[in-house]
């Protein structure tokens, strides 16, 4: 008995949808690896290159600024070559940057390599989130959380690799080269799958001021999220290494715990959204983030800080994917433009969190650097009502 043409068409659509989801999942995991590789090696690179605390802070701020510029480069690349090609190019650039950071002959080369990494990760952000929005539209249900779960798994593995490299007393460059190799392997696995896209009129109307006003609550929530994220991600290893007197082997463990918490949170978020609604998930997450950051601020020893970092990751992890998914649904036909603009709040948060935490840390006030975002996290409660539940259509 032959299969009908509609049946074959539907089967082909499901296969393409599943293939696109696998590719996007790999790309998110690769970005998680790259970001973790950079942040967890900051203490080792700082000691190896002899960077001052102020120069380290300035370098991480430069990474955030470069990422903001890179998001516009990524938007241009998505429009010209598509999101998958953009992901390939950005991952290749990130791999080169990791190798250069590890093998830099001097501080100047290392700083330039960090800036190159910022450009790459900014472009990658637009590529992977645009692709994820298209895939979620094709599925007709919440799947953004699964992509960010892969991001977090990649971060955990990279942090553990950094800790293992330090434990074996290997040069920091060796570990970064291995992680760059993983990115190159992922690039070889990326394929383009045809997906049904939203119907785009031949002449798209301008996005308009009203849309940007509707985006503002999501932007503010995303800013707070990335203030929290950068404070934990960029500086937790330095916090453990300095005020809490942890070894180079132990210093990456707060980042690993943070990302481990995000794995659990993001693996659960899609089901939680369908069960209790997006608004309830966002409000609960904001309260837990505030309490856990306060725990990091008063941590008497590094094990307590590691545990608190894990709880921060558990709750904060659900906010970014829900924010991006809700924003993309405002204008599905122009999701790449919406997400590129929204990414500005992302990098503003990274810039603010990284700069303030670094400056406070360089003056010995790291505990205050974690207490301040705890209060800021409560602002997320005000923006929670703007989040939307994804429509229920087909299941897959």
């Amino acid at each position: 008995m032959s299969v009908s043409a509609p049946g074959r068409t539907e089967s082909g659509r499901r296969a393409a949808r599943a293939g696109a989801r696998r590719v996007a999942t790999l790309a998110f995991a690769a970005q998680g690896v790259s970001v973790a590789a950079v942040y967890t090696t900051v203490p080792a690179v700082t000691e190896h290159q002899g960077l001052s605390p102020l120069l380290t802070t300035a370098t991480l701020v430069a990474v955030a600024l470069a990422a903001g510029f890179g998001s516009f480069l990524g938007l241009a690349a998505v429009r010209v070559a598509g999101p998958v090609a953009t992901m390939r190019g950005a991952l290749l650039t990130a791999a080169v940057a990791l190798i250069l950071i590890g093998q830099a002959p001097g501080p100047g080369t290392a700083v330039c390599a960090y800036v190159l990494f910022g450009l790459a990760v900014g472009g990658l952000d637009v590529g992977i989130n645009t692709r994820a929005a298209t895939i979620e539209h094709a599925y007709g249900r919440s799947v953004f959380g699964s992509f960010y779960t892969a991001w977090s798994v990649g971060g955990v593995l990279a942090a553990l690799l950094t800790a293992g490299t330090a434990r074996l007393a290997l040069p920091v460059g060796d570990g970064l080269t291995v992680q760059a190799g993983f990115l190159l392997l992922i690039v070889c696995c990326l394929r383009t799958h045809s997906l049904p896209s939203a119907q785009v009129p031949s002449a798209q109307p301008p996005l308009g001021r009203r849309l940007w006003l509707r985006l503002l609550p999501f932007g503010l929530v995303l800013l707070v999220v990335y203030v929290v994220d950068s404070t934990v991600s960029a500086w937790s290893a330095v916090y453990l290494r300095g005020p809490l007197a942890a070894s180079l082997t132990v210093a990456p463990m707060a980042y690993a715990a943070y990302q481990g918490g995000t794995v659990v949170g993001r693996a659960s978020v899609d089901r939680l959204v369908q069960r209790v609604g997006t608004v309830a998930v966002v409000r609960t997450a904001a309260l837990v983030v505030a309490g856990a950051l306060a725990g990091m601020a008063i941590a008497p020893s590094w094990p307590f800080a590691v545990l608190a970092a894990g709880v921060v990751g558990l709750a904060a992890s659900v906010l970014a994917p829900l924010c991006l998914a809700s924003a993309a649904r405002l204008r599905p036909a122009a999701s790449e433009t919406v997400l590129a603009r929204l990414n500005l709040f992302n990098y503003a948060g990274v810039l603010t969190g990284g700069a303030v935490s670094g400056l406070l840390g360089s003056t010995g006030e790291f505990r205050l650097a974690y207490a301040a975002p705890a209060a800021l996290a409560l602002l997320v409660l005000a923006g929670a009502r703007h989040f939307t539940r994804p429509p229920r259509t087909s299941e897959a």
Side-chain angles (χ1 to χ4, degrees), residues 107-194:
T109 305
V111 171
C112 290
Y114 276 115
V115 172
L116 179 63
F117 175 79
L119 291 171
V121 82
L124 183 59
D125 257 347
V126 176
I128 60 178
N129 284 305
T130 298
R131 191 58 169 168
T134 304
I135 294 167
E136 181 167 275
H137 176 77
Y139 271 88
R141 59 183 174 87
S142 178
V143 296
F144 243 91
S146 65
F147 296 128
Y148 277 84
T149 301
W151 196 104
S152 300
V153 170
V156 171
L157 295 177
L160 293 176
L161 179 58
T162 299
T165 301
R167 179 69 176 175
L168 297 173
L170 297 175
V172 63
D174 291 355
L176 286 171
T177 300
V178 170
Q179 310 213 48
F182 176 79
L183 300 191
L184 295 175
L185 180 63
I186 294 297
V187 169
C188 296
C189 298
L190 299 185
R191 298 289 184 272
T192 301
H193 297 82
S194 179

Side-chain angles (χ1 to χ4, degrees), residues 58-71 115 118-119 344 347-348 350-351:
T59 299
L60 293 180
V61 168
V63 170
L65 289 172
F69 183 69
S71 69
V115 172
L119 291 171
L344 292 179
Y347 299 121
V350 172
L351 180 62

Side-chain angles (χ1 to χ4, degrees), residues 22-105:
R22 286 193 296 271
V23 166
T25 299
L26 286 173
F28 271 89
Q31 189 185 35
V33 166
S34 66
V35 172
V38 166
Y39 284 152
T40 59
T41 55
V42 167
V45 172
T46 297
E47 293 181 17
H48 175 68
Q49 295 290 351
L51 304 179
S52 67
L54 189 59
L55 182 55
T56 300
T57 299
T59 299
L60 293 180
V61 168
V63 170
L65 289 172
F69 183 69
S71 69
F72 285 100
L73 295 179
L75 174 59
V78 167
R79 288 173 170 171
V80 172
V84 177
T86 300
M87 292 188 297
R88 289 194 193 103
L91 284 173
L92 282 170
T93 305
V96 171
L98 290 181
I99 294 172
L100 288 175
I101 291 170
Q103 306 297 333

